[in-house]
Amino acid sequence: MLTSSATPPTDTRIVIRTPLRVLAWLSFIAEVVIIGTGGAVRLTGSGLGCSEWPLCTPDSLVPLPEQGIHGVIEFGNRTMTGVVGILALGVVLLTLAAVGGAALVRRAVWFAVGGIVAAALAYAVTAPFGLPAFGFFSGVLLAAVLVAMADSLRRTARRRDLAALAWVTLAGVMAQAVVGGVTVISDLNAFAVGFHYVSSLLLVCVTAAYLVRMNAVAGPRESAVPRWFAVLTHITGVALAATILFGVLTTGSGPHSGDASIIRTGFDATVLSHVHAWPGYILAVLVATLTVVAWRRGLPVRHWLLVLCAAIVVQIGVGVWQAREGLPEILVGIHMVLAALTAAAYTVVVLHLKEPVVPASK
């Protein structure tokens, strides 16, 4: 008997095969690495090593010898964006194959083909008029991905959470490429650069969430911790967000502007460095409290809270060290990457606040 396609199957289990697991991990690692390469661009003064976007120079896709090491560093970061995008696309296709089979993959491929054709038409129409043709190309392609995501999720009955996380990563990577172009065009505007970093950090969190959900049991979930503990955990997230926000503003007003010709005239970096530290210390106290309580009560989040606690301790140590040493580039770069890993660890903690509902025995 045929069943209606609108009726979801009762069995929500899927098989996560090795290729998908490997690509998911590589995608997470690549998102962390690109934060490091992006930091290298800024900290070595290579932000305008490629003066144009998407080309490196008005006449060349790759850097020319006269651009020196700065051009190589900037172009290397742009190349890393392509690697991240390919991995994200692979995760999407393998996820769709796992949750919906070949039919769902074929629909996604057709949307991709249609998006590429529409983007090419947008480029062809706008280029003759001197408009930012590649910007239109990227925008249309991103819109096609968003439409494909909506169509795919509407047709996904099993493990929609995995499909959504995979699609968000792909769309985020594409949006990041556009943000990177805006950053170059705006001559490394501090707020554009900061937004670029925060967006990359969020993608690290999304890929970390995918890794957690990939190994999770499907079905309804219930709280695995006391209500007050969950509330305090979310308050801790606010402190973490505030710490990262003020850290971004501090770096944006500091000496590492991304290029020797760019001068920061924003906030007072000395004052912001102190403001950045306050929520950081509050964060450390909150995480330490949660960790002690979790271990005393044997809560399932205790191991990941220990990881988060260790990450924050190291992060504070690096932060104090870099401030006392006059912000050496290598320590600032490590601080940036550790912030992303700390946010990822917090994401994992939050996802372990609930556990699958255990069916009542008959």
Side-chain angles (χ1 to χ4, degrees):
M1 180 185 299
L2 296 176
T3 58
S4 171
S5 58
T7 304
T10 56
D11 186 2
T12 58
R13 293 173 297 178
I14 64 171
V15 177
I16 305 293
R17 302 191 183 279
T18 300
L20 176 53
R21 293 184 182 277
V22 171
L23 278 186
W25 272 103
L26 289 177
S27 180
F28 169 76
I29 293 171
E31 293 291 355
V32 175
V33 169
I34 201 171
I35 285 183
T37 61
V41 169
R42 182 172 190 169
L43 298 170
T44 59
S46 304
L48 295 178
C50 286
S51 60
E52 305 296 325
W53 180 86
L55 300 178
C56 189
T57 73
D59 303 312
S60 175
L61 174 64
V62 300
L64 301 176
E66 55 266 29
Q67 293 173 279
I69 187 63
H70 295 308
V72 173
I73 293 174
E74 165 65 8
F75 186 74
N77 185 57
R78 294 187 182 190
T79 303
M80 190 64 200
T81 301
V83 174
V84 170
I86 291 172
L87 290 171
L89 177 61
V91 171
V92 166
L93 294 178
L94 290 181
T95 300
L96 294 182
V99 303
L104 206 56
V105 174
R106 282 195 298 269
R107 287 189 65 87
V109 170
W110 278 114
F111 271 106
V113 172
I116 292 173
V117 171
L121 289 174
Y123 185 94
V125 170
T126 55
F129 298 97
L131 298 173
F134 195 81
F136 281 97
F137 177 92
S138 301
V140 171
L141 201 57
L142 177 59
V145 169
L146 295 176
V147 172
M149 177 174 67
D151 175 79
S152 177
L153 295 179
R154 184 175 65 87
R155 296 173 180 275
T156 301
R158 298 185 301 170
R159 298 310 306 269
R160 189 174 293 165
D161 56 334
L162 286 181
L165 290 169
W167 276 112
V168 167
T169 301
L170 179 60
V173 170
M174 295 185 64
Q176 272 290 72
V178 177
V179 173
V182 172
T183 301
V184 173
I185 294 171
S186 66
D187 289 331
L188 305 185
N189 177 275
F191 295 103
V193 173
F195 180 76
H196 196 40
Y197 171 75
V198 172
S199 301
S200 297
L201 183 145
L202 291 176
L203 286 176
V204 171
C205 295
V206 173
T207 51
Y210 186 97
L211 293 175
V212 175
R213 295 300 299 160
M214 179 176 65
N215 296 310
V217 178
R221 304 172 68 79
E222 60 185 0
S223 180
V225 300
R227 181 175 177 79
W228 68 266
F229 188 94
V231 171
L232 188 60
T233 302
H234 291 298
I235 292 174
T236 301
V238 175
L240 175 60
T243 304
I244 292 173
L245 173 62
F246 285 115
V248 170
L249 291 176
T250 302
T251 304
S253 302
H256 302 299
S257 60
D259 188 85
S261 63
I262 303 298
I263 301 175
R264 299 299 183 191
T265 57
F267 303 103
D268 188 316
T270 303
V271 173
L272 275 177
S273 64
H274 293 290
V275 177
H276 168 51
W278 298 337
Y281 293 134
I282 294 172
L283 172 66
V285 172
L286 289 172
V287 172
T289 301
L290 290 171
T291 303
V292 171
V293 172
W295 277 92
R296 287 179 62 87
R297 296 197 174 195
L299 300 179
V301 295
R302 62 188 183 278
H303 295 96
W304 279 106
L305 273 170
L306 195 60
V307 172
L308 178 59
C309 193
I312 290 174
V313 169
V314 174
Q315 182 73 321
I316 290 176
V318 172
V320 173
W321 187 12
Q322 70 172 6
R324 290 183 175 179
E325 295 296 325
L327 303 178
E329 289 83 355
I330 184 64
L331 291 182
V332 176
I334 292 173
H335 200 54
M336 292 171 62
V337 174
L338 281 175
L341 292 175
T342 300
Y346 173 77
T347 301
V348 177
V349 168
V350 171
L351 291 176
H352 281 87
L353 293 176
K354 292 186 177 182
E355 58 187 2
V357 176
V358 179
S361 57
K362 296 182 180 179

